[in-house]
Amino acid sequence: MNPLLAPHFRIPTGLGAQVPIPLNEQNNIDFPALEQILLRLEPVDFVRLVNAEVGIRDEFAYAGLVSFVREVLAKSVRLLESLPSTETRDVVRYCQHRHKTTSELTLPDGWFVRPPSSRDITVAGLIAHLRSVAESTELPIVAVLTGLQLDRKNRCLIIEAMGEHPNVDAVLLTGPQAMSWPRHKQLQLMISGDAAVLPMFAMGCDSAVSQLAVAFPKKMKTIAETARFGAWTDSRMALDPLLDLMQQLDELPSPAGIKTILSHLSLCEPHMRLPHTPLASSDRDSLYAGLAKLEWDQTAKEPR
C-alpha cells in the first residue's frame, strides 16, 4: 500500500489478476480448466472476474459462476466481481438479490461498478448511478472510470463525490488516465494494464489489475511488490524480459490475447463467445514469438 495513505481500504491492495473464463468447443464454461487456472493464483492479492468476457446472459447463472470461483479460491485470494449490468435498476436489484440468497462464504469481497451504458449520461447521472449501487450493498465498490473522456473540472467532481461516500473504496483507471485524474485520500487508486504496473506503482498507486498475472502470477507479483516498496532496480530487471509481451497484450482485444497465452501453456483452449473472436493468425504468431524469447521454468510454466 502507498505509505502516504492511511491503511483503511477494504478493497485489497497490491496485484490483481483479471481472469478470463475458459470455454470448451460447445461454448460452455470449462470448469476443470477454470479451476486449474485459479489454483495457480495464490501469489496474487486479488482476482477480478468479468462477466463481459464470457457473456452470460442470465445474471443469476453468473452468480453461480462467481460462487464456484469463490469456493475454489477458498479465501486464500480475495475475489472482486464485476457487476453484470450497467443499468442502475438492474445493478441494484442484482446486489440486493445476491445479499439475500448467497452465503457470506460465496459472496465476493467487493464489486466493480461500471458507468451506465447510455452515451448521453451526464456527470451528475454517473455520480447518482455509483451512489445508488454503493447504497444497495454492504460490500465495498470500485468505481470503474476507464474510458471516460472528461475535463479537469468534471474529473474533480467525480473523485470528490466518490471520496465522500463511505462505501466507495477505490477507482479504476488506465495508466494514462491516472496521470491526469486527481487523487483523494479516501480512495484507493487502482490501475489496469500490464505495461503500466511498474511506473504507476512508482507514482504511488495502490493496486493494479493485470491480465498477464493469470499466466505468470509469480513473475508479475515480483514486479509489483518490488515496485510498490521502492526496489526499482529489481522490479525493472524482472519487468524487462516481459515488456514487449505486455505491450502486445495491452494492444490486443481482451480476452483473446490472454487466452492465446494460456492455451500455449496448456491451461485452457482459446475458444470465444461472440462478439469476441480469436486472434488473427498474425497477432497469434507475434505472441508466440514473444513467448519463445523468454527463458522458462518448465516446472512452474513461468519465465525465470
Side-chain angles (χ1 to χ4, degrees):
M1 183 180 296
N2 183 344
L4 300 179
L5 298 177
H8 63 274
F9 301 128
R10 292 190 289 158
I11 295 287
T13 59
L15 179 68
Q18 181 160 314
V19 176
I21 306 303
L23 303 172
N24 58 28
E25 291 182 354
Q26 290 74 40
N27 262 346
N28 297 318
I29 297 173
D30 187 341
F31 283 100
L34 177 57
E35 183 174 11
Q36 181 180 211
I37 291 168
L38 293 171
L39 290 174
R40 287 168 50 86
L41 297 182
E42 187 176 351
V44 306
D45 298 295
F46 63 93
V47 160
R48 182 189 185 191
L49 196 63
V50 183
N51 182 42
E53 293 188 348
V54 68
I56 297 176
R57 296 181 182 276
D58 182 342
E59 61 189 33
F60 301 114
Y62 178 54
L65 170 63
V66 175
S67 295
F68 173 83
V69 173
R70 172 78 284 167
E71 289 171 1
V72 173
L73 294 175
K75 293 292 184 181
S76 61
V77 178
R78 309 282 289 281
L79 173 63
L80 303 181
E81 173 189 342
S82 288
L83 290 168
S85 174
T86 57
E87 302 305 323
T88 306
R89 181 184 302 175
D90 293 340
V91 176
V92 168
R93 180 173 60 85
Y94 177 81
C95 290
Q96 293 172 341
H97 178 85
R98 287 292 302 281
H99 279 291
K100 290 178 182 178
T101 62
T102 306
S103 161
E104 286 188 11
L105 296 176
T106 54
L107 277 172
D109 296 292
W111 313 104
F112 280 91
V113 183
R114 293 171 290 155
S117 56
S118 172
R119 294 181 179 179
D120 299 324
I121 187 69
T122 63
V123 169
L126 171 60
I127 292 172
H129 168 77
L130 294 169
R131 282 176 172 165
S132 295
V133 178
E135 290 163 6
S136 71
T137 176
E138 299 172 5
L139 299 177
I141 73 167
V142 180
V144 178
L145 304 178
T146 54
L148 295 180
Q149 302 296 326
L150 300 169
D151 60 27
R152 179 167 178 78
K153 177 182 177 181
N154 283 321
R155 294 196 298 266
C156 290
L157 285 174
I158 292 172
I159 293 298
E160 190 64 31
M162 294 302 96
E164 291 174 354
H165 199 291
N167 213 32
V168 181
D169 206 55
V171 294
L172 178 69
L173 298 167
T174 64
Q177 274 184 302
M179 301 286 286
S180 60
W181 281 66
R183 293 294 306 269
H184 193 290
K185 65 181 181 180
Q186 297 298 325
L187 292 174
Q188 179 189 154
L189 173 58
M190 184 180 292
I191 60 103
S192 66
D194 290 282
V197 168
L198 191 159
M200 292 313 303
F201 274 128
M203 293 185 64
C205 87
D206 305 289
S207 54
V209 179
S210 162
Q211 291 189 81
L212 202 55
V214 179
F216 308 143
K218 292 180 181 178
K219 191 73 169 178
M220 290 301 298
K221 179 69 170 180
T222 297
I223 294 168
E225 286 298 281
T226 49
R228 285 178 76 199
F229 296 107
W232 312 122
T233 301
D234 293 340
S235 185
R236 180 64 185 270
M237 288 177 64
L239 172 73
D240 276 351
L242 294 178
L243 187 57
D244 287 346
L245 194 64
M246 287 177 173
Q247 291 170 339
Q248 279 184 275
L249 197 57
D250 283 347
E251 293 172 0
L252 292 172
S254 176
I258 189 60
K259 279 194 174 183
T260 300
I261 293 175
L262 293 174
S263 174
H264 183 75
L265 299 176
S266 301
L267 293 171
C268 76
E269 296 297 326
H271 301 306
M272 301 287 182
R273 279 183 180 168
L274 293 174
H276 302 288
T277 57
L279 292 184
S281 58
S282 57
D283 290 330
R284 185 176 63 248
D285 292 345
S286 180
L287 270 184
Y288 288 160
L291 291 167
K293 294 177 183 177
L294 302 175
E295 294 184 11
W296 288 88
D297 179 339
Q298 296 297 335
T299 302
K301 294 185 178 180
E302 289 211 33
R304 295 185 187 278

